[in-house]
Amino acid sequence: MSLLNDLINLDLTDSTEKIIAEYIWIGGSGMDLRSKARTLPGPVSDPSKLPKWNYDGSSTNQAPGDDSEVILYPQAIFKDPFRRGNNILVMCDAYTPAGEPIPTNKRFNAAKIFSHPDVVAEEPWYGIEQEYTLLQKDTKWPVGWPVGGFPGPQGPYYCGVGADKSFGRDIVDSHYKACLYAGVNISGINGEVMPGQWEFQVGPSVGIAAGDQIWIARYILERITEIAGVVLSFDPKPIPGDWNGAGAHTNYSTKSMRNDGGFDIIKKAIEKLGLRHKEHISAYGEGNERRLTGRHETADINTFSWGVANRGASIRVGRDTEKDGKGYFEDRRPASNMDPYVVTSMIAETTIIWKP
């Protein structure tokens, strides 16, 4: 095994200019990350300089068997924390050979919204709080939980410390450092309310970069849990009953909201979000109705609400934002399995472009 580790950690820079690029894309379910690697002649830092590539879409539920070729367009480059050196991770989106985005390519439409002149002028910032649950591989039961049984009730686990309160910290810390190495703007981590559940935050990120960075951070986490022999779940309510669900709270501001008088702009934006509540909920993640019950720090899925410092509302405005008269707000509705391309672009479209 030590020889295997030596080979995995081989530094190629002394022996070759060639690098390995791991092309990453989203499969047919909308949550299954896929990737494959290719050798390139030398270091690359601009995604437009990378070759397009293809894959068998019939094996990812994204194309029929008799016409299965799907084309990967490289969109964003990150350093590879697993292979290190000059090797890279490449976030891609997927197109037909004729150049049409395939139906599961949510990045394409998001990029259109983020390139709209009104949106560009407002410089939308996002901070996304990605919650997730670590599960024991053979039982699919949260790590730290007795097999087939339950731990003590919620209370001591949130931001908890100690062998009886914190489960999986080695995975979480590995992920934190790997994201920083890769160039993901990860801004923090914490243990969550349900034992075995954690959160990382990415941002502030501008526009389409928010989606790219969340997807790459998810990919890195999937790889680390693979190494650790633990299953990663983004289910919005992995354990039914009196346990917190998992969300992806999305913090948002525009240039107008960040400037003096921004609180009035925030209130107008929240009003618009309320008018399109059903459309947003339908795009905010599968199974979200199991999480948004009005309990466990959530608002009821059928009722739109907002409030200052209210974690039981659809939209929470921070005390500092109210005090300063400018800042940001938090959309607490997105589920942990939401597509960040969809959620971030939809918030921008509703609050900046859409005219009621």
Side-chain angles (χ1 to χ4, degrees), residues 23-24 47 50-54 70-76 90-101 105 107-108:
Y23 280 49
I24 299 160
L50 287 166
K52 290 172 184 166
W53 204 10
N54 65 69
V70 181
I71 313 301
L72 292 170
Y73 287 29
Q75 298 291 1
V90 184
M91 192 65 215
C92 304
D93 60 351
Y95 297 78
T96 67
E100 295 292 318
N105 179 353
R107 192 186 191 281
F108 179 80

Side-chain angles (χ1 to χ4, degrees), residues 47-275:
S48 67
K49 301 281 196 299
L50 287 166
K52 290 172 184 166
W53 204 10
N54 65 69
Y55 68 91
D56 168 20
S58 69
S59 296
T60 62
N61 290 319
Q62 290 173 301
D66 59 355
D67 186 13
S68 67
E69 196 165 285
V70 181
I71 313 301
L72 292 170
Y73 287 29
Q75 298 291 1
I77 291 174
F78 297 84
K79 288 168 70 181
D80 186 338
F82 303 102
R83 295 189 177 107
R84 284 169 277 190
N86 291 320
N87 303 303
I88 54 175
L89 305 177
V90 184
M91 192 65 215
C92 304
D93 60 351
Y95 297 78
T96 67
E100 295 292 318
I102 65 171
T104 52
N105 179 353
K106 306 301 184 191
R107 192 186 191 281
F108 179 80
N109 190 53
K112 278 205 298 195
I113 291 166
F114 284 122
S115 61
H116 188 288
D118 294 353
V119 177
V120 171
E122 281 291 354
E123 284 177 31
W125 289 8
Y126 298 90
I128 298 173
E129 305 170 31
Q130 176 68 70
E131 295 178 343
Y132 60 93
T133 310
L134 299 173
L135 304 176
Q136 299 167 51
K137 186 158 153 262
D138 297 327
T139 61
K140 302 288 169 68
W141 201 235
V143 296
W145 290 40
V147 175
F150 293 88
Q154 294 182 158
Y157 310 108
Y158 172 69
C159 298
V161 181
D164 56 344
K165 295 180 281 297
S166 177
F167 313 111
R169 192 185 295 276
D170 51 348
I171 290 169
V172 175
D173 269 349
S174 302
H175 177 248
Y176 197 174
K177 285 191 170 177
C179 282
L180 286 170
Y181 178 93
V184 173
N185 193 25
I186 187 169
S187 44
I189 56 167
N190 60 268
E192 262 310 325
V193 177
M194 188 180 89
Q197 200 168 75
W198 292 81
E199 172 182 302
F200 65 87
Q201 302 94 31
V202 170
S205 310
V206 181
I208 198 76
D212 290 338
Q213 294 201 9
I214 282 286
W215 276 116
I216 286 291
R218 284 174 172 178
Y219 174 83
I220 292 169
L221 187 54
E222 285 271 22
R223 287 282 302 274
I224 290 170
T225 52
E226 173 192 318
I227 294 162
V230 166
V231 173
L232 173 62
S233 171
F234 290 113
D235 190 293
K237 188 76 174 180
I239 307 294
D242 200 15
W243 305 96
N244 272 37
H249 302 154
T250 301
N251 299 277
Y252 170 70
S253 70
T254 61
K255 190 188 275 186
S256 302
M257 293 173 193
R258 296 187 292 271
N259 289 338
D260 289 342
F263 197 23
D264 287 335
I265 309 292
I266 286 171
K267 286 191 275 198
K268 286 184 184 127
I270 292 171
E271 190 181 333
K272 288 169 90 176
L273 287 168
L275 293 172

